[in-house]
Each structure stands twice: as C-alpha cells, then as structure tokens.
Amino acid sequence: MAPSPSPSRSHSVMTLICAIIHLVGAVQFTFAVFYDYTRVIIPKEVQEMGGSGFGGKFVFLTFWDAILQAVYFTIALGNDAVGDHSPNPSNPPLIRRIKDFIFASFAFPIAMFVAITFWSIMAIDRELVLPKKLDDYFPLWLNHIMHTNIAIFILLEMFLSCRKYPSKKSGLIGLTVFMAIYLSWTFVIYFNTNHWVYPVMEHMDWPFRIAFLLAMLAFCLILYLVGDFINSKRWGELLNLKKDKPEIPNPDETLPMTDADIKERSI
C-alpha cells in the first residue's frame, strides 16, 4: 500500500497551487485594467458614461473592482514570496494581515456583488447593464475577466487559501465605508452629467433609486457575512487549532527521592 503524502508535502503543493492562482489573477486583472483604461474607447454618442467625460472609467464599480482584484492578488503573491502562507501562524507578518483584511472586507464581497448583480440583470435585460451596441468596443474576453473571472478566482481563493477574518465590526465598517464612498460618487457623477452611471437607474424615480442604492449596500454586507460563514466552515478547524504546549514536568514526580523524603513519607 502506497504511503499517504506527509502534511508538510501537501501544504507545499497547496502553497504552490495558490501561488500560481495568485500570479494568474494578478496578471490578468492588471492587464484587464490597463486594456480597459487605454484601449477601450467608446464614443460619447454611443455611451455617455465611461468615456472621456466626467469620471472616465472610474464611474463604474466594475472598474473599481478590477483594480481591487489586481491589488489583492498582487499582495497575495507577495505574501507567497515573503510572507506566511501557513493556516494558523502565531505571529502573522504585516503583509499577511493586510491580505486577509482586504480579502474579507473588500475583495470577496465586492467581486461577488459585481458578478451576481451584473449577470442577474444581464439575464433579464442586457440593455440595462451592457447594451448590445457596446459589443464593438468592449470585447467579450474583457467582459468575462471583469464580470466572470472575478467570481471564479475569488472563490478559488476562498477554498484553497486559508485566512483569518477580522472581527465582524471592523470588517463590516471597512466594507460600509468603501460602498458609501462609491454610492456617494454616483450622486456626484449624476449632478455633474445629469446621467446615472447605470441605465437601469434612469428608469427609476427618486425614492426607488434611494431604495435601490440602500439595497445594494445591504446586499454587499450580506455577502460579507456569507464569506465569513464559508471561511469558518472551510477553515474553522485549522483556525481554532491551538498549538500544543509542552508539558512542564512535576518536580515531585521526576526528581529522585532523598533519604529525608523517604523518612518523611514513612512517618
């Protein structure tokens, strides 16, 4: 019967697999950001938002998320090289703590939010998120990197690479601040251009728009909790594993008995 691989060898193989995923993720998301910013030029008469007008590419949460994923996977790759990839380090280095916080508070919930909302609305009416007239300017492969691969790679990361989630308070505050900044930015864009970032919002009245934006925030916060739950189910046993402490021998049991001890015990 062939011997089973040792835990250290299995850990080394998993570390290598994670490093490859981090490298591919960092390269593809960085390239997607570069290509979208420099090569995807949509005439203003075709699309008001996302071109050379106010805000440029930064009007879209998809572009923010692509930058976020590029940053996260680059940091994760750096952690593979100079940080700590062990499941439960007793004193994790700074880069590991940064990686874990970014994944939990931003990378996972935002990637899943962008992928789920985009493909859900796309299935109902693509004209509300990616009108067909943009196909000549926004290539299919780029669309899948920015709306499909973000979910695939962040889920691979969730299940293949261990991390310690921050406290719910700090994680949810971080995500709320991120989303509040972006949602406030959508109002700045509207008041400067008289257009909403996403066509779906053009068909709403003000109360429904506010409710829609609050629902976006609530959905992101739910996705944070989902990520926390999945992480605890996948990695909880390792994260809660306490390192065995060396037993301190009892001197009374290990030291040889003297004549005085023998006389004392015989009384």
Side-chain angles (χ1 to χ4, degrees):
M1 184 175 179
S4 58
S6 65
S8 60
R9 181 171 181 177
S10 298
H11 177 68
S12 298
V13 171
M14 188 59 68
T15 300
L16 177 61
I17 292 173
C18 288
I20 292 172
I21 292 173
H22 295 156
L23 175 61
V24 174
V27 170
Q28 73 164 326
F29 294 126
T30 300
F31 178 75
V33 170
F34 168 77
Y35 188 93
D36 189 18
Y37 191 78
T38 61
R39 300 295 183 88
V40 178
I41 301 173
I42 302 174
K44 195 171 183 179
E45 60 270 15
V46 175
Q47 185 185 45
E48 186 73 25
M49 294 286 104
S52 58
F54 183 83
K57 302 289 183 181
F58 291 93
V59 301
F60 298 119
L61 183 60
T62 294
F63 193 73
W64 284 38
D65 179 58
I67 295 174
L68 174 61
Q69 301 306 318
V71 169
Y72 170 75
F73 280 96
T74 300
I75 292 175
L77 187 62
N79 180 71
D80 294 332
V82 299
D84 192 323
H85 199 268
S86 58
N88 191 19
S90 58
N91 186 26
L94 178 61
I95 191 172
R96 169 66 183 268
R97 298 197 298 270
I98 292 173
K99 178 187 82 74
D100 289 357
F101 185 83
I102 291 178
F103 178 92
S105 299
F106 310 122
F108 179 83
I110 300 299
M112 296 306 298
F113 174 83
V114 169
I116 292 172
T117 54
F118 176 83
W119 289 112
S120 297
I121 298 175
M122 188 82 164
I124 297 171
D125 184 359
R126 70 165 295 176
E127 296 299 315
L128 296 176
V129 285
L130 188 67
K132 192 171 180 59
K133 62 185 179 182
L134 299 182
D135 288 350
D136 293 335
Y137 306 95
F138 196 76
L140 181 63
W141 63 264
L142 183 59
N143 181 34
H144 279 297
I145 288 179
M146 303 186 83
H147 294 112
T148 307
N149 289 11
I150 53 168
I152 293 174
F153 273 75
I154 212 66
L155 286 172
L156 286 173
E157 177 73 354
M158 170 66 82
F159 286 99
L160 296 179
S161 178
C162 184
R163 89 256 337 129
K164 182 179 180 181
Y165 259 60
S167 67
K168 282 187 174 63
K169 180 179 179 180
S170 60
L172 289 171
I173 287 176
L175 178 58
T176 300
V177 170
F178 181 94
M179 285 301 296
I181 291 172
Y182 178 74
L183 296 179
S184 300
W185 172 233
T186 63
F187 284 95
V188 173
I189 295 166
Y190 174 76
F191 289 120
N192 278 273
T193 65
N194 202 33
H195 288 283
W196 291 102
V197 174
Y198 301 101
V200 64
M201 296 181 68
E202 300 283 358
H203 304 280
M204 302 176 183
D205 55 19
W206 272 101
F208 202 81
R209 286 189 191 110
I210 300 298
F212 178 74
L213 295 176
L214 290 176
M216 288 174 61
L217 175 59
F219 186 37
C220 275
L221 298 180
I222 290 171
L223 287 171
Y224 174 90
L225 298 176
V226 169
D228 192 11
F229 175 78
I230 295 174
N231 189 71
S232 64
K233 289 297 183 182
R234 174 66 180 90
W235 301 106
E237 186 175 342
L238 287 175
L239 292 172
N240 295 326
L241 187 64
K242 294 183 179 178
K243 300 184 183 296
D244 295 333
K245 296 181 179 179
E247 294 185 0
I248 301 175
N250 186 344
D252 294 335
E253 297 176 355
T254 57
L255 293 177
M257 295 179 68
T258 64
D259 293 339
D261 293 332
I262 295 173
K263 183 182 290 188
E264 182 181 346
R265 291 196 177 188
S266 64
I267 294 176

